[in-house]
Amino acid sequence: MADVLGKVKQVIAEKLQIDADQVTVEAAIVEDLGADSLEQADILFSLEDEFGITADDTDEAEGLKTVGDIVAYLEKKAS
Amino acid sequence: MSRRVVVTGMGVLTPLGLDSVTTWEALLAGKSGVGTITRFDASGYSVRIAAELKGFDAESFVDKREVRKMDPSTQYGVAASLMAWKDCGLDEGDFDSTRAGVIIGSGVGGIQTLEAQHSILMEKGPRRVSPFFIPMLIADMSSGMVSIRLNLKGPNFATVSACASGAHAIGASYRAIRHGDADVMVAGGAEAAVCPLAIAGFASMRAISPRNDEPELASRPFDAGRDGFILGEGAGIVVLEELEHAKRRGAVIHAEIVGYGATGDAYHMTAPAPGGEGGARAMALAMDDAGMNPEDVQYVNAHGTSTPLNDKFETAAIKSVFGEHAGALAVSSTKSMTGHLLGAAGGVEAIFTALSLANSVILPTINYETPDPDCDLDYVPNQPREAKILNALTNSFGFGGHNCSIAIRRFGE
């Protein structure tokens, strides 16, 4: 879903103060975009809040590495 | 031979100005930084006035990504530290980073963050509490963040002694240099407590003035009509340096820290001990540490909060320590203009005292109108006074019975 990816790009770019173009589907949040562990959690929680998701499986959320992983996770939870 | 400690850098953010020059000019003009609260809608509160920091832009000091991770108290602490560092002129290569430390105190730490995150917890549940909540809350984070920015790897911690936090930070830093643990210390206090929870709490204590219709007249230390302090916010940070270290690099020296006294009241949670007994011992210890006699001191920058008890007992304390010389002393409270910056107060007031020594000007106690028989010293009422002063004390006392006095000497005399 394009609008999910768009929102994810926007939140990550805002949190990390980077250009939205850098936030590609393949980009790893920590390795490629330079987030630390707290920023990684902050991005995820903000997106969950944005999409109205109540997460019950923290293990699944913690395994998310790339922008694409986050988009897939949000789409699954939101459906 | 004892190592000497000098002030080579100063940075302030106060309700009177966002740097030391602007603040100093406002102090000389006797301006009040107190006004009606704009930070939040205080219309339902018994106290609706405070000394807010106005026009501060954290992003002019730190990039936006970092600003978001800092409570306002840490933003103030970091910004004032960066100003002090710039003022001291230290460059990489001028010093050993493992012998340069940071001690920045705060009375309440990240209370605005606590307030906001607690609301999120109640409204949205535990999963929405920010991963930055804890690091933004804790009162030691200014010390941590400043060390990261400036690569200072020496002693690093925070002092928490309520309204004496900033003064204890300077005292502990002075000791660290004198004792040989460090050559350079960034020291002082930062506070950002003008928020609903803190105003409500201090109002419940009846500690802050409810003079809502006359905010600029509300902070009136030693005046008979005083009825509480005014909550203020900001930061005051100094760079302290070992004298020979400063001389070797040709640093501009603002003043010398020559003594530190710290005591406890062992009396009450919030009320000072009768007669200001604990504060008196702190002043005596600071003078003893400095090798001064009472007659050597010309000026005391008082804690002078504008509460009925503090000002009465601080006056008694000064009289008990200085004896007959108390009548010849100039005593003033700059809180009459800045409000009470809590944990930052000791930092900004040490800087004001250093500037008074360097500029031969004693700052006034404004709003002094009606003498109180219990407060019968020379409070430098309403107008600054030109006077060559060689030695001064700056006092800070905190809830919990923490008393701190710092002795500062004009440099080069």
Side-chain angles (χ1 to χ4, degrees):
Chain A
M1 280 161 69
D3 59 333
V4 176
L5 178 61
K7 193 73 211 174
V8 169
K9 280 183 168 222
Q10 187 196 327
V11 167
I12 293 176
E14 164 77 10
K15 294 282 185 193
L16 303 180
Q17 291 292 298
I18 55 177
D19 198 292
D21 292 345
Q22 287 177 256
V23 189
T24 60
V25 174
E26 299 79 27
I29 307 293
V30 175
E31 290 83 356
D32 298 329
L33 302 182
D36 64 24
S37 64
L38 297 177
E39 288 169 328
Q40 193 181 15
D42 188 36
I43 287 165
L44 184 67
F45 296 166
S46 298
L47 285 165
E48 287 179 0
D49 192 41
E50 190 80 39
F51 288 93
I53 292 166
T54 311
D56 42 15
D57 184 354
T58 46
D59 287 349
E60 185 188 350
E62 257 134 49
L64 305 172
K65 286 193 66 170
T66 66
V67 174
D69 292 344
I70 292 179
V71 171
Y73 168 80
L74 293 170
E75 286 177 344
K76 190 177 91 180
K77 289 284 178 184
S79 63
Chain B
M1 204 183 91
S2 185
R3 286 157 60 90
R4 292 168 64 182
V5 181
V6 291
V7 180
T8 55
M10 304 189 289
V12 299
L13 288 170
T14 75
L16 296 171
L18 301 178
D19 57 56
S20 61
V21 173
T22 315
T23 297
W24 179 250
E25 284 169 1
L27 290 164
L28 288 177
K31 286 188 184 162
S32 167
V34 183
T36 300
I37 291 172
T38 61
R39 186 71 45 75
F40 62 94
D41 177 8
S43 54
Y45 291 65
S46 63
V47 173
R48 301 185 287 280
I49 53 176
E52 295 177 325
L53 204 59
K54 300 155 198 89
F56 174 70
D57 176 20
E59 286 174 34
S60 63
F61 295 93
V62 181
D63 68 59
K64 194 174 173 185
R65 179 172 169 184
E66 297 302 312
V67 167
R68 203 202 309 279
K69 301 178 207 166
M70 293 182 192
D71 180 82
S73 60
T74 304
Q75 293 172 15
Y76 301 167
V78 169
S81 296
L82 294 178
M83 287 191 279
W85 193 256
K86 191 177 173 194
D87 181 42
C88 85
L90 272 165
D91 281 322
E92 216 177 325
D94 282 345
F95 67 106
D96 175 353
S97 66
T98 66
R99 293 184 50 79
V102 189
I103 307 176
I104 297 172
S106 183
V108 295
I111 191 169
Q112 293 189 45
T113 296
L114 174 68
E115 220 177 27
Q117 293 297 317
H118 184 261
S119 295
I120 288 172
L121 174 67
M122 293 292 107
E123 288 160 18
K124 297 185 171 180
R127 177 78 170 181
R128 297 288 180 265
V129 172
S130 169
F132 293 109
F133 166 49
I134 299 296
M136 287 171 75
L137 166 73
I138 51 184
D140 52 302
M141 199 46 69
S142 287
S143 297
M145 292 302 245
V146 168
S147 74
I148 295 165
R149 305 233 135 231
L150 300 173
N151 190 35
L152 308 181
K153 297 183 172 178
N156 193 292
F157 55 91
T159 47
V160 176
S161 51
C163 308
S165 303
H168 278 121
I170 291 173
S173 296
Y174 152 79
R175 281 269 195 275
I177 293 174
R178 211 165 78 151
H179 189 69
D181 294 340
D183 299 322
V184 176
M185 291 295 295
V186 177
E191 204 78 76
V194 179
C195 63
L197 192 57
I199 290 286
F202 283 118
S204 292
M205 292 179 74
R206 307 284 188 270
I208 48 178
S209 170
R211 197 181 287 253
N212 297 311
D213 298 332
E214 298 175 306
E216 294 183 348
L217 305 181
S219 187
R220 39 196 320 114
F222 305 109
D223 181 88
R226 68 189 184 276
D227 59 1
F229 72 82
I230 296 294
L231 191 58
E233 57 184 358
I237 305 287
V238 291
V239 176
L240 301 183
E241 196 168 346
E242 192 272 324
L243 175 62
E244 297 306 321
H245 193 277
K247 276 183 170 170
R248 270 199 300 278
R249 64 183 189 88
V252 173
I253 293 171
H254 300 300
E256 181 172 3
I257 307 288
V258 289
Y260 168 47
T263 66
D265 275 354
Y267 174 70
H268 185 267
M269 285 175 78
T270 57
E277 180 274 335
R281 282 186 293 116
M283 285 185 266
L285 286 171
M287 286 192 282
D288 188 51
D289 190 31
M292 285 176 192
N293 294 313
E295 297 74 36
D296 298 329
V297 176
Q298 293 85 34
Y299 172 58
V300 176
N301 183 294
H303 187 53
T305 56
S306 184
T307 63
L309 279 184
N310 177 83
D311 298 358
K312 173 184 170 180
F313 288 152
E314 188 172 9
T315 297
I318 290 168
K319 286 158 77 171
S320 76
V321 173
F322 286 93
E324 275 187 23
H325 184 63
L329 271 179
V331 178
S332 71
S333 172
T334 44
K335 289 187 181 76
S336 59
M337 298 173 276
T338 61
H340 189 351
L341 274 60
L342 306 183
V348 301
E349 288 160 22
I351 291 170
F352 298 164
T353 305
L355 286 169
S356 295
L357 290 159
N359 291 292
S360 299
V361 176
I362 298 175
L363 295 169
T365 303
I366 68 163
N367 297 324
Y368 185 82
E369 291 174 347
T370 311
D372 172 349
D374 288 328
C375 300
D376 54 355
L377 297 171
D378 171 10
Y379 300 111
V380 196
N382 304 316
Q383 297 292 332
R385 182 185 301 165
E386 285 186 22
K388 186 157 185 183
I389 43 177
L390 300 181
N391 295 300
L393 298 182
T394 175
N395 288 341
S396 295
F397 310 142
F399 286 166
H402 322 295
N403 309 296
C404 182
S405 188
I406 309 263
I408 308 180
R409 181 172 290 159
R410 182 183 167 97
F411 184 70
E413 307 281 340

